[in-house]
Amino acid sequence: MKNDLTVFEQLESEVRSYCRSFPTIFTKAQGHKMWDVDGKEYLDFFSGAGALNYGHNDPNMKKKLIEYITDDGITHSLDMASTAKKDFLTKLNDVILKPRNLDYKVMFPGPTGTNTVESALKLARKVTGRTEVISFTNGFHGMTIGALSVTGNSFKRKGAGIPLHNTVTMPYDNYIDQTSDSLDYLERYLEDGGSGVEIPAAVILETVQGEGGLNTASPEWLKKLDSICKRWGIFLIIDDVQAGVGRTGTFFSFEPAGIKPDVVCLSKSIGGYGLPFAITLIKPEHDAWAPGEHNGTFRGNNMAFVTATEALNYWDDPNFEKSIQEKAEKITDFLEGLVKKYPEMDGYRKGRGIMQGISSNVEGFSEKVAALAFEQGLIMETAGADDEVFKLFPPINIDEDALQKGFEIIEEAVRSVAKENDLVTS
Amino acid sequence: MKNDLTVFEQLESEVRSYCRSFPTIFTKAQGHKMWDVDGKEYLDFFSGAGALNYGHNDPNMKKKLIEYITDDGITHSLDMASTAKKDFLTKLNDVILKPRNLDYKVMFPGPTGTNTVESALKLARKVTGRTEVISFTNGFHGMTIGALSVTGNSFKRKGAGIPLHNTVTMPYDNYIDQTSDSLDYLERYLEDGGSGVEIPAAVILETVQGEGGLNTASPEWLKKLDSICKRWGIFLIIDDVQAGVGRTGTFFSFEPAGIKPDVVCLSKSIGGYGLPFAITLIKPEHDAWAPGEHNGTFRGNNMAFVTATEALNYWDDPNFEKSIQEKAEKITDFLEGLVKKYPEMDGYRKGRGIMQGISSNVEGFSEKVAALAFEQGLIMETAGADDEVFKLFPPINIDEDALQKGFEIIEEAVRSVAKENDLVTS
Amino acid sequence: MKNDLTVFEQLESEVRSYCRSFPTIFTKAQGHKMWDVDGKEYLDFFSGAGALNYGHNDPNMKKKLIEYITDDGITHSLDMASTAKKDFLTKLNDVILKPRNLDYKVMFPGPTGTNTVESALKLARKVTGRTEVISFTNGFHGMTIGALSVTGNSFKRKGAGIPLHNTVTMPYDNYIDQTSDSLDYLERYLEDGGSGVEIPAAVILETVQGEGGLNTASPEWLKKLDSICKRWGIFLIIDDVQAGVGRTGTFFSFEPAGIKPDVVCLSKSIGGYGLPFAITLIKPEHDAWAPGEHNGTFRGNNMAFVTATEALNYWDDPNFEKSIQEKAEKITDFLEGLVKKYPEMDGYRKGRGIMQGISSNVEGFSEKVAALAFEQGLIMETAGADDEVFKLFPPINIDEDALQKGFEIIEEAVRSVAKENDLVTS
Amino acid sequence: MKNDLTVFEQLESEVRSYCRSFPTIFTKAQGHKMWDVDGKEYLDFFSGAGALNYGHNDPNMKKKLIEYITDDGITHSLDMASTAKKDFLTKLNDVILKPRNLDYKVMFPGPTGTNTVESALKLARKVTGRTEVISFTNGFHGMTIGALSVTGNSFKRKGAGIPLHNTVTMPYDNYIDQTSDSLDYLERYLEDGGSGVEIPAAVILETVQGEGGLNTASPEWLKKLDSICKRWGIFLIIDDVQAGVGRTGTFFSFEPAGIKPDVVCLSKSIGGYGLPFAITLIKPEHDAWAPGEHNGTFRGNNMAFVTATEALNYWDDPNFEKSIQEKAEKITDFLEGLVKKYPEMDGYRKGRGIMQGISSNVEGFSEKVAALAFEQGLIMETAGADDEVFKLFPPINIDEDALQKGFEIIEEAVRSVAKENDLVTS
């Protein structure tokens, strides 16, 4: 039997997780489609948790990648100079940074999201000479001890096995209620020499909290936060690992707020093809690293340079952002409609861009929706502290038909769950 | 001008380092050879700091990789089940674990060395319910805060910007002198309820310290450490990221000591082709993870599964280990000869397997040797707290001729530096 | 010249502070009066920052103390049993605990406020098995590292020289504004598994913040906090070092709220005569200490047992509390009148009981008032992060005339400062 | 029944300890004698763990104290200037500091040993700008978190309930064996940039470890440590709380080594009469405190100033030190004799000055000796991680007869225990 998960049960650690929600063996993928070993086709509304914004195995990137490998292009080069790296740096600057009037220096940490976050925290502490970092409720920044210390989730934090230090959690936008401004809290703490909260080296946040339940920070809130940071000489670090690279409708998620963070963390889709890759963007005046002060074996993943460079061609097209935004509106409309049509769900729409979902107050509702959808061939994740949100994360270049097909499967799943008799509002 | 490093100076962060020691733009590589954009050929005695034990772009792996990409094999799958992953798990078990009578469960952390170390530390703390971890002088385990806290190097540690906690450094084998047993210290600290050192969750160490200057732990010392760990219920974690995968002459570096660590960290060459990859091997009785308790976007790097699986074919051949060991002996002989022949170097041989070098007591000697060698087309790194060691790290499957050619370049470089008049013993 | 401070300048450390605000050499004291070496008399509205609630050298205590010393009563006994200690335990139980339906066990830590706080924090962590402690903005609990970690003042915290860990500061009653309930913030953090704030071992607070600027927690707020603590199994620790022993009008400051804290910290006036003394009151079900787990050389200060026992006689008189409360009302009336009469002060009344003062928004106003008052023979302290509060802290048994005399000096000082032309509102 | 401990069992916390070893109620004391409520007389070979070096209720101090109280001398004055304090500062300088060519500034922290240690650690961190502190195996410095973090005892450390940070334990003199120099270990760690041990702010140690089992540091070892500290700009902090004030035969315990520590911590007997008191002596060039940066309510314990000043009169007599040293020799002779005479004890002498004892390798031997001695009217403590040491701590001014009487009781107790049949060597 080909689709037998026994090998994983026997040989892989209990820590494995997504294979439990999506219990089949995948073997092939293209664009928004995946196939398992039984040949069953799936519509991917998950996109590697944001690592596959351009879908699976994009043909242009694939071509470039095969050429590169065929020609014995350098695969691994630590942080030596390579043509693939040079091309990436140049393209990133030409297509993304310069047009947005950004002059960031590019750092290559280890090729994962948590590594770019760790590098950002270190740099902020070094430059400011301060130790504390402020993060926000329900933020998610990674699993290594530095990144975990700024992550809110208590299950993940307990995994550290040690108390996590040098961080303070402040309330994210609209955390307590819609009427009070959560930044008033932060400001009061900073201004009051008796608050017990030191002026920090940095604040770190996502503009949309991908793992934390699709909470969004408004442009006004971000602007105000930015001005607080400037006032106190605090690094503003935007972790755009999940919300960046077009996911919210612009390349960087913070563009609508008109701010220029001191440091930007990118990973996931910056590599284009789903290859491990991460970069840390640093304002030149903060680039105070000593050579090799933060390093790592795979910071020079040349295959990822190749696909990342090719991926940036999408952004040459001035209509690309618009097309994402149009799809985002369709998703918004679909979800708003769903909320109205199925009051049994007791839900509300969250998120923005192609990073939206529904939070249901009914216990287990969202998980059931995701499970039913999977049976019907759609892969979709839940998020939030109690998995109360189901989350639409299709590729940002998905076509209209596939999007509609996904909507249908989801609505059908919602309809089924809504019919159940024993719904309990939590 | 093609070989122009200006782009890197302008756009890349100051943190870049190896491109400063090897200032050229590399573009192509095959086996033990690399070429820069000017077509100059280099003999690679560095091997990506141990990430390229099988050399660059191994033809068999390359073939499999191109086939996989061409067929739209899954590239990115988080930790969902995939055929590529299944094949890797099966092959690893069949070729490496079972024959060595090891029944480890395999965990896939983020694909870098520091991520596997972080996962190992978390697990040890969770299972034992203790917080402290003992590491050893001059150990190197990574740059994220958890891994950095068990790393000895003070420059790297300061980079944290915060005090590093929950760790104690004990003296590595032969740290103080050759006559006293450094484990006596450790034992005394554990036995004495007044020592100020708690019984730790784990000890973590490399059997050969790759970055720390090629210090080696003897099999007897490792055996004794293992028995101390068993006595006190301490996890023995071997970080085999650099010394593993054949680098010392056996697949795991600890095999000659006849021990079975509780956890083994592997990265670098486990992927075979230089692609980002890391695994954490865990004794089944310790596999106490909750699903998703430690996770990461790129823990399912399927291209690395493909090349890693192919790479393990090397180990099907019973003569492979022997061939490595023979080469290691040649390196030993060459280095011992060099030490005798050039007393001006005031050096001594260090390391074992294909992980040897010379530590020179003359200030700057080793750095000059490496620089001269580079001019002559050989890439070689220095190690140790003061870069006092030059380090021979060719691929473990390098052929005889290339090895000899490397020896010649190195000897010539040593000869040149030895002739200088102003040598100062530090 | 007798009143020459040169010796202090030459031999005492720069850390000395009150002798700078009150630059004279004191030599004698009785009740609410102090005299310096020049024979100048001072009215003491400071009372050793709450350590002299019964005034200086109370005649009854003095008599008992001299008898005890004369008879060679045990002076120092570590924590061995002594008759003086037995008498104190019995009296405390009979006069204070039993009548208030409290069955606390009594612990004798080192004889200072910070030591009782340290013991309380340790016990809470031990019993709950948790590490974090929640304190409140502008709380003050002591100068040793454990107590300092729950103290808000940034100047004091920086004195630690190391980051302070395992604590979270929450907003005290009315911290942000009068309309929102600051406990909503705390509750949300505890309820939300993604808040980044762990369920703590304890919350620690003063019901009136003596050093933090005379902020007061309302009975309702305390009751709600108590119920939150009960819900989550969190130790409620009331630090009654300054506000306890009658200072607010009842023996314990928390009596009006009708709560029974898990742990109560007492020091300062519990000794009666100003001798070093501290006790930690512990609910019997939490008395999980192992013998000697927390100790100290001077936990058996027998002279303080003697005076403390005698002091409790005040509380035999059912009218004693009433008399304090009447004086408190007079102080309230006086201060409210002052605020109205001198709008130049831009002040408002703070605190409760005989622990009240005026916070002036005019830069330096309160400091000037205190300085002028000192010139006129009244000793009075300022408090708050910017010393913006002047603080009336006479003995709680001060007589009517002395109180009036103090009022006059203070009003005269306020009048003088209010007349200045260059008042700047901060 | 007067000698009834029920009150303590009912009302005092389980943390009480010495009253368990010495289960009687003491009521009166004079010199080396104590009496319980039954009138039973005890010979005190414990001296309040070093807080009563001059014995109980010294007649001269008693006289001065009664006079002071009778005259309404200031009892409590925070850190305001008082005549009692002035007299103490002057006397300390004239009799102790100047004759020893020491120019320390005097700081008054809270009146306990742990408070002076906390102040010393803070200052060292402030002046050096470093965070780490090196302490030594089996050191004991106090129970508050800062002091506890440099204390070796694991039972005490666990009491913290949190991991203790920013400290490293190094081996005390002769920790591993008599042949190797434990400072080689420390030096190697400091010199090696890869050791994982930062250059610390301070080292802190006792020259004789009172609680840790009477281990002694030789003058040579101390001199070498002092020179290491000077070389690296590390504060040398001598915690002379127990070993100071004549206990070892000189006023400061470090005098024989000819060193001048940067900071000296004194408490216990510096007050003379057993009243809570502590001072921190600081080299003037390090007195970098801001006013009030470290404070405390009882730092101005004027009664202790009075007795401390009177106590220093002992040191006016040039023969005082000599008399202590002669007694110390007698104790040495007695203990050496005992070791030889009772091989069943399997013991050896430890300590120096009037701070000596015997460590027995026989399980429970020392505890039994102390218990038997108590029955015979001699109070004596055990020390060491397993209470393996019984410790002779009579007043340093004890007379010859009392000393001999103590010897007799102890020998009788040793003889009895040695006769037991079931002695087990641990």
Side-chain angles (χ1 to χ4, degrees), chain A residues 80-321:
Chain A
M80 292 189 258
S82 72
T83 40
K85 190 183 192 175
K86 185 177 177 181
D87 292 347
F88 170 72
L89 284 168
T90 307
K91 182 86 182 183
L92 180 74
N93 195 43
D94 290 351
V95 177
I96 303 298
L97 300 182
K98 262 201 265 170
R100 284 164 183 80
N101 205 19
L102 298 169
D103 57 354
Y104 291 124
K105 297 289 283 292
V106 183
M107 172 183 180
F108 300 95
T112 78
T114 198
N115 294 48
T116 167
V117 168
E118 294 261 350
S119 70
L121 299 180
K122 278 187 182 178
L123 185 64
R125 284 169 170 142
K126 175 170 189 178
V127 173
T128 61
R130 303 173 186 160
T131 56
E132 304 307 289
V133 171
I134 284 178
S135 58
F136 290 88
T137 51
N138 291 294
F140 180 93
H141 302 284
M143 287 291 102
T144 51
I145 294 300
L148 192 54
S149 70
V150 287
T151 290
N153 188 286
S154 68
F155 164 63
K156 303 282 187 192
R157 290 177 73 87
K158 264 179 201 148
I162 46 171
L164 297 169
H165 296 319
N166 299 304
T167 53
V168 174
T169 326
M170 285 285 161
Y172 195 70
D173 196 11
N174 289 323
Y175 187 61
I176 304 299
D177 53 43
Q178 312 286 336
T179 58
S180 67
D181 183 345
S182 64
L183 289 177
D184 290 349
Y185 265 100
L186 173 59
E187 273 198 296
R188 184 85 168 88
Y189 270 83
L190 296 178
E191 280 167 1
D192 179 6
S195 72
V197 171
E198 269 180 59
I199 304 306
V203 304
I204 184 167
L205 75 155
E206 306 142 288
T207 69
V208 185
Q209 297 183 322
E211 300 301 305
L214 297 179
N215 311 303
T216 59
S218 71
E220 296 70 37
W221 192 88
L222 290 170
K223 254 194 255 286
K224 185 172 171 187
L225 178 59
D226 179 57
S227 82
I228 293 172
C229 286
K230 283 196 170 59
R231 178 175 166 207
W232 295 97
I234 299 166
F235 265 48
L236 176 62
I237 302 172
I238 296 293
D239 176 345
D240 235 8
V241 167
Q242 187 162 148
V245 193
R247 181 52 64 187
T248 63
T250 49
F251 187 83
F252 295 111
S253 73
F254 52 80
E255 293 180 40
I259 58 172
K260 294 191 186 175
D262 295 284
V263 177
V264 182
C265 298
L266 290 176
S267 183
K268 295 199 186 255
S269 282
I270 184 67
Y273 206 73
L275 297 172
F277 193 39
I279 60 176
T280 311
L281 301 178
I282 301 165
K283 279 192 179 167
E285 62 267 35
H286 297 326
D287 186 24
W289 289 112
E293 197 172 3
H294 183 89
N295 58 14
T297 295
F298 297 116
R299 69 207 126 138
N301 183 6
N302 282 271
M303 290 193 195
F305 293 150
V306 170
T307 54
T309 304
E310 178 60 28
L312 292 177
N313 282 330
Y314 274 99
W315 300 88
D316 279 334
D317 176 358
N319 288 319
F320 186 54
E321 293 199 350

Side-chain angles (χ1 to χ4, degrees), chain B residues 270-285:
Chain B
I270 185 67
Y273 206 73
L275 298 172
F277 192 40
I279 61 176
T280 312
L281 301 177
I282 301 165
K283 279 193 179 168
E285 63 267 33

Side-chain angles (χ1 to χ4, degrees), chain D residues 172-329:
Chain D
Y172 195 69
D173 195 11
N174 289 322
Y175 186 60
I176 305 298
D177 53 42
Q178 313 285 336
T179 58
S180 67
D181 183 346
S182 66
L183 289 176
D184 289 347
Y185 190 71
L186 172 59
E187 273 198 298
R188 184 85 168 88
Y189 269 80
L190 297 179
E191 281 168 1
D192 179 7
S195 72
V197 172
E198 270 180 59
I199 305 305
V203 303
I204 184 167
L205 75 156
E206 307 143 287
T207 69
V208 185
Q209 297 183 320
E211 300 301 304
L214 297 180
N215 311 303
T216 59
S218 72
E220 296 70 36
W221 192 88
L222 290 169
K223 253 194 254 286
K224 186 173 169 187
L225 177 59
D226 180 55
S227 82
I228 292 172
C229 287
K230 284 197 169 61
R231 180 178 164 204
W232 295 97
I234 300 166
F235 265 49
L236 177 62
I237 303 172
I238 296 293
D239 176 344
D240 235 9
V241 167
Q242 187 162 144
V245 193
R247 180 52 64 186
T248 64
T250 48
F251 187 82
F252 294 111
S253 73
F254 52 80
E255 294 180 40
I259 58 172
K260 294 190 184 174
D262 295 284
V263 177
V264 182
C265 298
L266 290 175
S267 182
K268 294 197 187 256
S269 283
I270 185 67
Y273 206 73
L275 297 172
F277 192 40
I279 60 176
T280 311
L281 302 178
I282 301 166
K283 278 192 178 167
E285 62 267 35
H286 298 324
D287 186 24
W289 289 111
E293 196 172 3
H294 183 90
N295 59 15
T297 296
F298 296 117
R299 69 207 125 139
N301 184 5
N302 283 272
M303 289 193 194
F305 293 149
V306 170
T307 53
T309 304
E310 178 61 27
L312 292 177
N313 282 331
Y314 274 98
W315 300 89
D316 280 334
D317 176 357
N319 287 319
F320 186 53
E321 293 198 351
K322 217 181 134 215
S323 76
I324 305 171
Q325 289 157 14
E326 284 165 1
K327 264 169 269 185
E329 274 173 52

Side-chain angles (χ1 to χ4, degrees), chain A residues 2 4-5 7-20 22 24-30 34 37 46 48-49 51-52 56-57 62 65-66 69-76 78-83 85-86 89-90 93 104-108 110-112 114-115 118 122 125 130-131 140 143-146 148 155-156 159-162 165-166 267-268 273-277 282 287 289-295 297-299 301 303, chain B residues 2 4-5 7-20 22 24-30 34 37 46 48-49 51-52 56-57 62 65-66 69-76 78-83 85-86 89-90 93 104-108 110-112 114-115 118 122 125 130-131 140 143-146 148 155-156 159-162 165-166 267-268 273-277 282 287 289-295 297-299 301 303:
Chain A
K2 280 156 69 190
D4 180 354
L5 291 157
V7 166
F8 300 93
E9 284 153 21
Q10 286 175 345
L11 300 180
E12 193 175 352
S13 162
E14 293 300 320
V15 80
R16 68 193 186 281
S17 60
Y18 283 120
C19 58
R20 300 172 194 262
F22 309 117
T24 191
I25 303 180
F26 294 97
T27 191
K28 215 179 127 166
Q30 222 302 306
M34 297 179 78
V37 289
F46 182 17
L52 294 164
H56 294 267
N57 301 331
K62 175 175 164 178
L65 185 58
I66 291 177
I69 299 172
T70 304
D71 291 350
D72 280 331
I74 292 276
T75 299
H76 179 277
L78 287 153
D79 72 346
M80 292 189 258
S82 72
T83 40
K85 190 183 192 175
K86 185 177 177 181
L89 284 168
T90 307
N93 195 43
Y104 291 124
K105 297 289 283 292
V106 183
M107 172 183 180
F108 300 95
T112 78
T114 198
N115 294 48
E118 294 261 350
K122 278 187 182 178
R125 284 169 170 142
R130 303 173 186 160
T131 56
F140 180 93
M143 287 291 102
T144 51
I145 294 300
L148 192 54
F155 164 63
K156 303 282 187 192
I162 46 171
H165 296 319
N166 299 304
S267 183
K268 295 199 186 255
Y273 206 73
L275 297 172
F277 193 39
I282 301 165
D287 186 24
W289 289 112
E293 197 172 3
H294 183 89
N295 58 14
T297 295
F298 297 116
R299 69 207 126 138
N301 183 6
M303 290 193 195
Chain B
K2 280 156 69 190
D4 179 355
L5 291 157
V7 166
F8 301 92
E9 284 153 21
Q10 285 174 345
L11 301 179
E12 192 174 354
S13 161
E14 293 299 321
V15 80
R16 67 192 187 282
S17 59
Y18 284 120
C19 57
R20 300 173 193 261
F22 310 116
T24 191
I25 303 180
F26 294 97
T27 191
K28 213 179 130 167
Q30 222 302 306
M34 296 179 78
V37 289
F46 182 18
L52 294 164
H56 293 268
N57 300 332
K62 175 175 166 179
L65 185 57
I66 291 177
I69 299 172
T70 305
D71 291 350
D72 279 332
I74 292 277
T75 299
H76 180 277
L78 287 153
D79 71 344
M80 292 190 259
S82 72
T83 40
K85 190 184 193 175
K86 186 177 175 179
L89 283 168
T90 307
N93 196 42
Y104 291 124
K105 299 290 281 294
V106 182
M107 172 183 183
F108 299 96
T112 76
T114 198
N115 294 48
E118 294 260 350
K122 277 187 183 178
R125 283 167 170 143
R130 302 173 187 160
T131 55
F140 180 93
M143 288 290 101
T144 52
I145 295 298
L148 192 53
F155 164 63
K156 303 283 186 191
I162 46 172
H165 297 319
N166 299 302
S267 183
K268 295 200 186 251
Y273 206 73
L275 298 172
F277 192 40
I282 301 165
D287 186 24
W289 289 112
E293 197 171 2
H294 184 89
N295 57 15
T297 295
F298 296 116
R299 68 207 127 140
N301 184 5
M303 289 193 197

Side-chain angles (χ1 to χ4, degrees), chain B residues 156-221:
Chain B
K156 303 283 186 191
R157 291 177 73 88
K158 262 179 203 149
I162 46 172
L164 298 169
H165 297 319
N166 299 302
T167 54
V168 174
T169 325
M170 284 286 159
Y172 196 69
D173 196 10
N174 289 323
Y175 186 60
I176 303 298
D177 52 46
Q178 313 286 337
T179 58
S180 67
D181 183 345
S182 65
L183 289 176
D184 290 348
Y185 266 99
L186 172 59
E187 273 199 296
R188 183 86 169 87
Y189 269 83
L190 297 179
E191 280 167 1
D192 179 7
S195 71
V197 172
E198 270 182 57
I199 305 304
V203 303
I204 184 167
L205 75 155
E206 307 142 285
T207 69
V208 184
Q209 298 183 321
E211 300 301 305
L214 297 179
N215 311 303
T216 59
S218 71
E220 297 68 38
W221 192 87

